[in-house]
Amino acid sequence: MDNVSAGIRRIAITTGGGDAPGLNAVIRAAVLSACRRGWQVIGIKRGYTGLFDHTQTTMLTRASVRGITHLGGTVIGTSSKGSPFTRYEKTSDGETRTIDLTPQALEGWRELGADALIAIGGDGSLQLAHHLHLNGVPVVGVPKTIDNDLDGTVVTFGFDTAVTVATEAIDRLHSTAEAHDRIFTVEVMGRYAGWIALHAGLAGTADVILIPEIPYELDSIVRKIKERENQGSRFAIVVVAEGAKPRGGDLAVVEHARAGGNDRLGGAAERLAVDLAAATGKETRSLVLGHIQRGGMPTARDRILSQRFGAAAVRAIADGEFGTMVALDPPDVRTVPLTDAIARMKTVPLDGDTVRSIRDMGICLGD
Ligand code: F6P
């Protein structure tokens, strides 16, 4: 055992942001790997809540992680309510005061007696993990999000499951769309990146795929639908990323962000359905797949990736590689600086072969 590894007695794990299928698989893999090294593992519950309130922590043992690999959600809970290290308070004169809770978080961290933290999260949660790291907490990140928009890794866990669920839904819509000669607009998640729409649209053989990276023109979609009609196909499947917007238009937002949070996106498919019905005269229905893309069992691919990430995070701690994130760099999982992951959002490259192949096959991307 090397010097760094010899100094580790206890580690902590947290899961932050929106849940993603595979969280429990990461937790179990990390706990088993840590236990084999003789380390204890504490679960910090509900994001970073357990740092402030130690009733929100739990010891994770071989027994407590038994049989969880295939389960959705996270056994230690999560939180996606913005930064727990900042509180906003209204003063009596109506101003908003910002209170930095970092000192309390660090005090809570010291009281836990842990030597390192595995932070499993997407961009927001890894920003918070980086903040803790800059304040002296030895952190290793694990890239989680169904959106696949984290840089530094080829893919995040959770993405494959979301694409699989969305693809199955699109497959099911095909037969009913065809039976009724209808257009269906299907809204998938992904926030400001089009990965889920692109991959599920391709796998589900959609006729039109709209992603945030390519603002769409209604006329172009209408042309594609008319072209299909002329070829004898009187129905159409349009996959719409929740962050897709018309050229020169706005994002479809259900609720604007409160301090420190994100806008809640939604309504892009319904907005387009109304426009398409008016422009084509065809019966058009919209569907929002929503959180079923995030819930339930991870696919085998996600279970494997999650376990590789969980075990690799423990190896990174043993090697003293703090301030890093484990990342898939085929054929291996390796570590990259946390800053690589959070510096910018990974969006769909428009000159990549997937987009080019989609164009080659005549699928409409809205431009
Ligand atoms: O980031 C994951 C994600 O599922 C996005 O695709 C989606 O926009 C968002 O989270 C939804 O968040 P919430 O569950 O907080 O509504």
Side-chain angles (χ1 to χ4, degrees), residues 80-131:
S80 54
K81 297 203 177 80
S83 172
F85 308 139
T86 311
R87 194 170 63 220
Y88 300 95
E89 266 183 12
K90 277 253 181 287
T91 59
S92 49
D93 51 4
E95 297 288 301
T96 302
R97 195 156 62 107
T98 307
I99 300 167
D100 182 9
L101 300 177
T102 308
Q104 288 90 321
L106 294 176
E107 184 55 27
W109 170 254
R110 277 189 290 276
E111 285 169 11
L112 287 183
D115 303 302
L117 172 68
I118 296 179
I120 313 171
D123 55 346
S125 314
L126 293 180
Q127 301 264 9
L128 299 174
H130 185 242
H131 176 71

Side-chain angles (χ1 to χ4, degrees), residues 80 145-147 189-191 242 264 291 294:
S80 54
T145 167
I146 63 165
D147 304 339
M189 283 185 166
R191 233 188 273 274
E242 62 183 356
R264 187 146 71 86
H291 291 78
R294 256 170 47 183

Side-chain angles (χ1 to χ4, degrees), residues 58-78:
T58 184
M59 291 309 290
L60 294 170
T61 62
R62 297 182 70 87
S64 64
V65 299
R66 187 164 296 136
I68 65 170
T69 299
H70 64 294
L71 301 180
T74 157
V75 291
I76 52 175
T78 187

Side-chain angles (χ1 to χ4, degrees), residues 311-353:
V314 168
R315 287 199 299 278
I317 291 174
D319 293 341
E321 294 183 56
F322 300 119
T324 64
M325 178 186 83
V326 296
L328 182 67
D329 180 13
D332 290 317
V333 167
R334 63 184 184 94
T335 52
V336 297
L338 252 183
T339 44
D340 278 13
I342 58 179
R344 63 165 206 123
M345 188 194 308
K346 183 178 73 185
T347 52
V348 171
L350 300 185
D351 55 355
D353 85 279

Side-chain angles (χ1 to χ4, degrees), residues 74-327:
T74 157
V75 291
I76 52 175
T78 187
S79 168
S80 54
K81 297 203 177 80
S83 172
F85 308 139
T86 311
R87 194 170 63 220
Y88 300 95
E89 266 183 12
K90 277 253 181 287
T91 59
S92 49
D93 51 4
E95 297 288 301
T96 302
R97 195 156 62 107
T98 307
I99 300 167
D100 182 9
L101 300 177
T102 308
Q104 288 90 321
L106 294 176
E107 184 55 27
W109 170 254
R110 277 189 290 276
E111 285 169 11
L112 287 183
D115 303 302
L117 172 68
I118 296 179
I120 313 171
D123 55 346
S125 314
L126 293 180
Q127 301 264 9
L128 299 174
H130 185 242
H131 176 71
L132 287 177
H133 177 69
L134 292 179
N135 282 280
V137 177
V139 171
V140 173
V142 176
K144 164 241 66 168
T145 167
I146 63 165
D147 304 339
N148 194 35
D149 59 355
L150 267 181
D151 215 6
T153 182
V154 164
V155 72
T156 53
F157 76 84
F159 174 64
D160 186 64
T161 307
V163 169
T164 302
V165 169
T167 302
E168 188 188 334
I170 296 165
D171 286 347
R172 288 177 184 279
L173 285 178
H174 259 102
S175 55
T176 177
E178 185 163 16
H180 289 266
D181 293 341
R182 283 174 173 158
I183 302 172
F184 266 92
T185 61
V186 193
E187 184 169 312
V188 298
M189 283 185 166
R191 233 188 273 274
Y192 310 114
W195 295 103
I196 298 177
L198 195 78
H199 285 232
L202 178 58
T205 66
D207 308 298
V208 181
I209 302 173
L210 303 178
I211 59 176
E213 292 84 349
I214 305 177
Y216 66 81
E217 311 267 1
L218 188 65
D219 285 353
S220 152
I221 306 167
V222 171
R223 255 198 319 278
K224 174 70 185 177
I225 289 165
K226 296 235 163 93
E227 181 191 306
R228 281 176 57 76
E229 295 261 357
N230 294 338
Q231 292 165 349
S233 296
R234 297 160 61 81
F235 72 100
I237 302 285
V238 182
V239 173
V240 186
E242 62 183 356
K245 56 182 182 191
R247 184 171 301 285
D250 293 327
L251 284 171
V253 175
V254 177
E255 188 186 359
H256 283 285
R258 275 168 294 204
N262 283 304
D263 284 346
R264 187 146 71 86
L265 301 181
E270 176 56 19
R271 171 175 66 184
L272 179 64
V274 171
D275 291 346
L276 279 179
T280 63
K282 289 185 72 70
E283 198 178 355
T284 308
R285 299 287 172 89
S286 73
L287 178 81
V288 180
L289 293 188
H291 291 78
I292 62 162
Q293 294 161 96
R294 256 170 47 183
M297 282 189 173
T299 57
R301 189 183 284 270
D302 269 336
R303 295 183 206 185
I304 293 164
L305 183 61
S306 299
Q307 293 181 79
R308 291 174 70 194
F309 279 165
V314 168
R315 287 199 299 278
I317 291 174
D319 293 341
E321 294 183 56
F322 300 119
T324 64
M325 178 186 83
V326 296

